[in-house]
Every structure is written in C-alpha cells, then in structure tokens.
Amino acid sequence: MTGNNLPVDALGPRTEIGSGGQGTVYAVPRTINRSWPVAYKAYNTATLATLDIGALEAMVGYLDALPYAVGRDLCDRAAWPAAVVEEHTTVTGFLMRRIAGEFKPRMRWPAGYREALGQVQFLLNNDQYLAARELPVHDRFRLEFLRDTAETLELFHGLQIAVGDLSPNNLLFSLSSRPRCFFIDCDAMRVRGRSVMTAVETADWQVPAGEELATDHSDAYKFGLLAIRLFAGDQSARDPDVLSRVAPELAALASRSLSTTPGQRPKPADWLAPLDAAIPAASLSLPGQPPGHVVWTAGAGTGTPPHGYVPVPGYPPVARPPQSPPRLPVATRPPARPGYRRGQVRALVTVALIGLGVWIAGPTLAKLTSTGGAPANPGAPAAVATATAAGTGTATGPADDGATQAAAVQRVLEASRTDRARIGGAVSQVAGCGDVSGGLAAFQQASSGRQIELGAARTLDTGALSGGGAVAATLVEALQHSLAADDAFVRWAQAVRDSGCSDASLNNADRHTADAESHQATDAKQRFISAWAPDAQRYGYPVPTEPDI
C-alpha cells in the first residue's frame, strides 16, 4: 500500500455491472486517457487475503515505464489495471478500462435479442449453435481473430507478460472492430515473473502435468488449443488436423503447440505470417447460407445485427510500435523521469477525478496522495529499502547507503547489457543487406530500452560510493550518447530498407552520426568503468567492459 493509491470515496457513484468469485465490478463516472470509460473491480474479503498487493501496484506502475505508443497498444488489447483503489489505507481493488460495446455482440436468445459479453466460449460451438445465436462466424473471421490474438500475445511476451490462464472465459471477441480480441482479468497475469494472485488454470485448458504455469510456453500451448477448438467448433477438441482445411501449415503449428516439451512449441509470432497468408482466401460463407452471404438477417425488423461481422480494410497496419519491457532499478514503482527530450517516455494513463478537479497523469499517477493533492517531490526516485550484495546473498539494511546505491547502479547495467547485445548483430544485418527489417526492429527495441535506462540513471544517487557523483554522471553521459546512436541507427536502417539497400543509404549521414555517437559513448563508458570499478568490487559485482553497457 502506498500514498499513491486512490481513495474509494473519490470514485463517485458506482453502478454494479457484474460479479463473480473474486468480487464485484462497478461502472464509475471517470475516463482513462480522456477516451475510455472506467470500471472499478472491488475484491471480496476472501480474495483480498490472498493477493500480493505490491504486485498489483507494480502492474499499475508498469504503464508509466512504457513508451506511450506501446502502452496505448497494450491498453487497446487488455483491461490493464490503471490505478489501485483503497479505503482507509487498505487496498480494495483497482480501476481499469470498461469493456467497449464492440465486445458485446448482439445475439438471439430464446427470449429474444440482447447483447452479451463476447466471451470466446460462444465461438467454440458447432454451426447449429452459432446459427441459433445468429453469430456471423465464418473461416475468415476465425483466422482474423486468431491473427489478432497471436499478435497480442507477441506484444505481451515482448513485455514479459504471460497470460497464464488463457481460456475462453477471459478472452473476448469483436465482430466489428480490429483488433478482434480483448483480454480481461489482467490481474491474474504474470508480469516479469510476479503475480498478484496464485496461478490457476481453467478446466480442460491445463498444460501438461508438472509444467510451470503462467509462462510464454504455457500461453503457446493454450493458443494451439484455441486454434483447434475454434475451427472444430468444440470446447474440448485436440485434433490439429481440423485446421488442414484452411491451411496445412496452421495444422502443423497447432500440432507443435501441443508438444509436451515447452521449448519446441511455436511462438505466437510464428503464427502471424501463415495466418496473414490464409486470410484473403478464407471463406465468408455461413452454415446454411448461399456463398457470399456474410451476415444473417436479424429478427425484430432490424435488418442485420448491429454487431454483425464487419471487415476492417487496411488492418493490420504496416508496422506496430516496437515494444521493450521496462527495466528499472526499483522494486515496484518506476521513478519519475525528468528532462526527457527526444523519444520521451510519456505517461499513458490519465484518469479524470472530476469531483476533485485533478488529473492523474503519467508519473503523477504513481505520486498522487490519498487526499488528491499534488505529488510530493515528483522527481524523487522510489525508495529501495534493502539491497543484496551480488555473489554473497547478504542483505544490507537501509543504513548502508553505499550498498543500496551500488545495487541501483547494477540494475541499470544489467538492463543496459541486453540492449547493447541487440545492436551488434543488428548492425551486421543491415550493413550486409540481410534481414534489414529484423535489424531495424532490434534498433527500435534497443532505443526504447535505452530511454528507460537513461531515465533510471538520471535518478541515481551515488554520493555514498567511493566514485561519488562521477559514477552517475558518466553513466548518464554514456547512455545519452548510446541512445543518440540507437536513434541514428534506426534512421539509417529505415533508409536502407526504403531504398532497397542502395550504396548511398548504406553510407549516409545517419550512419556517420551513429558511429560518431558510438565513439563518444565508448569514451564515456571508459570513464564510468574507472569510476565504478572500486565500488563494483567492494560490493561483489563484476566490473563491466565497454560491450556490457
């Protein structure tokens, strides 16, 4: 629990819109990002007793650490926790996007027509059931839905998010918009290895016995089941051959997805190209209808159902924003990131507290006091209460400022090492006119990561280290030049791609800028290593080399 959480009294009037085993969901008169209506999930007492509240608060803070476009993409596809709610300092639940109307298809029931939550369980039924509900589900829609779900899982996994309990109960479909999928129950997901609640699985959607739950591999297994059952029209089918009628390659992917060896399963990204290839030729015919008939005629004199299948031209877009998981030297909340210029990591979530007349935006989401006041010292880094000396496993108390500060520096270096490793291979890919698009994506991911690392480095306090302020100053300088090089490499790779790998693009000004910034980064890294080495050795950390930063 922190002073950044919202008091339940500030939410205004609540209208119950659903309840379940974990609690009750209410509509509240607020918006997220000035566009999405808000829902409040209030946990019941039994569920609250089992939660990792710190993990829930970390999920909320996660959005702050993402580049704006990536965070927006995430929230377009999932009801991600946007703010933690508390009552008298006790957490009671969280705010999230309310489910949009396009994920509530109009269906025919024995008592007449009404909208229902578009849970995927409705799609996993035979043609007779679909016809009775007047759901316009044909092969093209099935492929589009799978394609968008695979893309969403690719986004999640790139951000170190595992769905875990991927099932037809917490995945919704849309017949009228793209992406055609939307994930709910996000508080049950696993983020960077941490979960708000104990991982569970839906019956008949379990991974093989003994396998770790809530991993990328378990998601891959369940995505294979989803593909099979969607085309079989059966809630329990497991035969991959049902996909052969649309594309043998999809049947092969589904078969590999059910492997009992997790590492042999295809990643969600592996499905994208085969699905894209199969969609244009897929049938639009519906059971019992003549070829070319797209939607059923609805009863009650309305012509066609308001949420009948609607093609979305131009989707998917040519490129999605690059994603990169946040890597911050804090235990739960990301620190504020002052001073950003190019590529600034901005806040995604804006919750309007109309009654209080304030906005929760960006880093201030993590700083709002329970009384709705302004954040106190918004530029201050989050506190780190303890640190563990690498190689010794010895916890040090808050009084040992040197150990705490050294641990924070080391976390920035560990994150930076991953992004630095991407660059070397990417340069070779582009310069050799090989996988230019893959190299470009690597540069973009590295740039996103560098932005976050630079923001974290700017908050470092190294006054208690023997290297003093030079440790933080030289690390910031090195990351600034590295980020400038990454951004120049992005522009260079784009030019190479767009020109068909012409000689002029391979040796253009952006490539020269990237090389120059890299040289300046190397100089700053050398000075950082000299300043940092005594403290690294003192606290048991390896002394980095230039390629490690």
Side-chain angles (χ1 to χ4, degrees), residues 417 529-530 532-534 536-537 541-545 548:
R417 183 180 296 112
I529 292 170
S530 296
W532 165 244
Q537 293 169 340
Y541 297 112
V543 177
T545 61
D548 292 330

Side-chain angles (χ1 to χ4, degrees), residues 205-278:
W205 289 81
Q206 300 99 325
V207 295
E211 182 175 330
E212 182 182 3
L213 304 183
T215 67
D216 293 3
H217 295 313
S218 71
D219 286 353
Y221 182 90
K222 296 176 184 184
F223 182 77
L225 284 180
L226 176 64
I228 293 168
R229 294 172 180 181
L230 187 62
F231 276 88
D234 186 289
Q235 303 276 348
S236 301
R238 289 179 177 269
D239 184 1
D241 285 342
V242 70
L243 287 157
S244 296
R245 66 182 172 86
V246 287
E249 188 174 358
L250 295 178
L253 285 167
S255 179
R256 289 170 51 205
S257 295
L258 302 188
S259 171
T260 56
T261 303
Q264 294 181 356
R265 297 167 191 161
K267 298 178 181 179
D270 295 334
W271 288 77
L272 294 178
L275 286 166
D276 284 338

Side-chain angles (χ1 to χ4, degrees), residues 450-461:
R450 297 275 201 200
Q451 293 171 27
I452 296 169
E453 292 144 20
L454 178 57
R458 283 172 169 153
T459 69
L460 291 174
D461 178 2

